């Protein structure tokens, strides 16, 4: 068992011996932006950092020369794609503006089996010895018996795809505590799940992203850049996290997409919650059902079948303070 110290966050203790780290957005969209503070911190420690994302973009338009491997596109600032929504290219353009390597690897939406093969190929190509899945929100931390699961399809596909990769340090980082209430997630259940992982020594704690730090500044700049580059489909999740990082509180709307809903922007949104990936995968009771899937619609069907056949879920409850 790893020995931890208050002087070093367990997230960094687990990554201390890694030399090449793949940080990947688990749930699609702008999820990979949640990994930027970690990426900047690891770069500062002299590690090679690579960024990837399960993509919602139309990768069918990506030219053949930009496909590194089957199921893995190497997106650069010049990659062909939708002008109004291409988070991986938007991030590559921001990386280029900072002098960093402007590549974001993109996985097309699929079932577990193709995504696992794509991850395996990319990990071998990059010589990766540590993998961090990043979720913007908390639905990746749900085990399947909760009253609401949020939008689990992509998160669970990613989790199932990489769970068997022995020989790697594998972690899950969630950022944006509370955001998924919009999708029916009960955050008392999230805390209960973290407590269960704590009993297994698999909850690696919470870590605030300091506003006045290179990591916080880079994250904020990248989100502002993304909001400007994608005005028709701005990121709801990271606009709220950026607002929290700025010190906003309460019903604060950074984009028109959240109009008509009540938000609760607060400092907990700008924190990393870190868990051991294999332990989390073992906790998700329906994850083995997703193993044979080839297509995303199969994942959605199996999750729906699980929801309709399971016993009564844990009833939603409010956090009492």
């Amino acid at each position: 068992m790893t020995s931890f110290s208050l002087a070093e966050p367990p997230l960094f203790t687990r990554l201390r011996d890694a030399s090449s780290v793949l940080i990947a957005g688990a749930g699609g969209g702008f999820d990979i932006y949640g990994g930027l503070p970690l990426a900047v911190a690891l770069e500062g420690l002299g590690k090679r950092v690579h960024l990837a994302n399960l993509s919602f973009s139309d990768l069918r338009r990506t030219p053949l020369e930009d496909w590194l491997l089957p199921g893995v596109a190497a997106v650069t600032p010049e990659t062909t794609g939708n002008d109004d929504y291409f988070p991986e290219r938007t991030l590559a353009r921001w990386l280029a503006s900072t002098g960093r390597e402007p590549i974001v690897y993109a996985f097309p939406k699929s079932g577990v089996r193709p995504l696992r093969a794509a991850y395996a190929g990319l990990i071998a190509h990059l010589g990766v010895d540590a993998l961090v899945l990043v979720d913007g929100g908390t639905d990746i931390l749900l085990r399947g018996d909760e009253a609401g699961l949020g939008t689990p399809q992509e998160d669970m596909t990613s989790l199932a795809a990489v769970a068997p990769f022995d020989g790697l340090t594998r972690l899950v980082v969630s950022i944006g505590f509370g955001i998924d209430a919009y999708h029916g997630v009960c955050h008392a259940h999230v805390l209960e799940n973290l407590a269960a992982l704590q009993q297994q020594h698999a909850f690696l704690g919470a870590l605030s992203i300091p506003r006045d730090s290179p990591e916080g500044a880079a994250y904020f700049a990248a989100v502002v850049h993304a909001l400007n580059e994608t005005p028709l489909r701005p990121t709801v999740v990271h606009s709220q996290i950026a607002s929290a990082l700025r010190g906003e509180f309460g019903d604060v709307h950074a984009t028109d997409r959240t109009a008509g809903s009540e938000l609760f922007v607060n400092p907990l949104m700008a924190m990393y919650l870190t868990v051991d990936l294999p332990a989390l995968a073992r906790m998700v009771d329906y994850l083995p059902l997703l193993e044979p899937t080839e297509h995303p619609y199969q994942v959605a069907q199996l999750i729906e079948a699980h929801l309709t056949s399971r016993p009564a879920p844990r009833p939603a409850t409010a956090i009492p303070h």
Side-chain angles (χ1 to χ4, degrees):
M1 185 183 302
T2 304
S3 177
F4 296 118
S5 166
L6 185 63
E8 180 183 57
L11 168 60
F12 288 93
T13 302
R14 287 288 302 272
L15 295 174
R16 183 194 300 155
D17 296 331
S19 61
S20 180
V21 182
L22 177 61
I23 301 175
F30 287 89
D31 262 11
I32 184 54
Y33 277 73
L36 284 176
L38 178 60
V40 173
L42 293 175
E43 287 174 351
L45 295 174
K47 302 182 188 298
R48 299 193 308 276
V49 180
H50 319 278
L51 302 177
N53 201 42
L54 182 62
S55 182
F56 287 172
S57 307
D58 184 7
L59 297 178
R60 294 172 298 180
R61 298 177 58 185
T62 303
L64 184 61
E65 59 267 22
D66 284 347
W67 287 91
L68 176 70
L69 299 163
V72 184
V75 178
T76 69
E78 293 78 34
T79 297
T80 302
N82 291 345
D83 291 334
D84 62 339
Y85 184 81
F86 199 165
E88 295 81 18
R89 186 181 61 192
T90 299
L91 179 54
R93 289 175 175 173
W94 180 82
L95 292 169
S97 74
T98 67
R100 295 178 170 88
E101 184 179 27
I103 298 177
V104 180
Y105 299 100
F107 306 113
K109 288 180 65 174
S110 71
V112 169
R113 292 178 63 183
L115 185 59
R116 181 175 295 159
Y119 262 108
L122 183 60
I123 287 168
H125 176 79
L126 298 174
V128 165
D129 52 11
L131 169 65
V132 182
L133 284 185
V134 179
D135 181 29
T138 51
D139 45 12
I140 199 171
L141 301 175
L142 301 178
R143 64 195 190 196
D145 64 348
E146 297 85 0
L149 300 187
T151 55
Q153 288 87 348
E154 291 79 23
D155 291 317
M156 292 301 125
T157 301
S158 296
L159 184 62
V162 302
F165 290 166
D166 294 329
L168 293 177
T169 298
R170 287 160 293 158
L171 304 172
V172 168
V173 166
S174 163
I175 183 172
F177 183 85
I179 284 174
D180 285 326
Y182 178 79
H183 290 122
V185 170
C186 169
H187 285 81
H189 288 164
V190 174
L191 296 177
E192 185 179 2
N193 293 354
L194 292 175
L197 288 166
Q198 178 84 303
Q199 293 175 13
Q200 303 173 45
H201 308 279
F203 174 44
L204 304 179
L207 175 64
S208 292
I209 299 167
R211 174 181 179 176
D212 299 317
S213 67
E215 297 84 1
Y219 171 76
F220 190 77
V223 172
V224 170
H225 174 267
L227 293 173
N228 290 331
E229 289 283 310
T230 316
L232 298 180
R233 292 179 64 183
T235 168
V236 170
V237 169
H238 291 288
S239 65
Q240 291 184 66
I241 296 171
S243 295
L245 188 65
R246 194 168 50 237
E248 303 284 356
F249 183 81
D251 192 18
V252 178
H253 296 256
T255 81
D256 292 338
R257 291 184 65 191
T258 57
S261 62
E262 183 176 357
L263 305 182
F264 184 53
V265 173
N266 66 87
L268 297 182
M269 287 183 171
M271 295 174 63
Y272 278 147
L273 301 171
T274 306
V275 302
D276 178 76
L277 189 151
L280 176 63
R282 290 191 297 269
M283 187 180 75
V284 180
D285 55 8
Y286 63 90
L287 205 65
L289 302 176
L290 309 184
E291 281 292 319
T293 56
E294 297 280 347
H295 305 286
Y297 76 85
Q298 294 172 316
V299 175
Q301 287 175 338
L302 286 167
I303 293 177
E304 182 62 29
H306 164 75
L307 289 173
T308 57
S309 64
R310 64 181 179 169
R314 282 185 280 166
T317 182
I319 297 173
H321 298 289

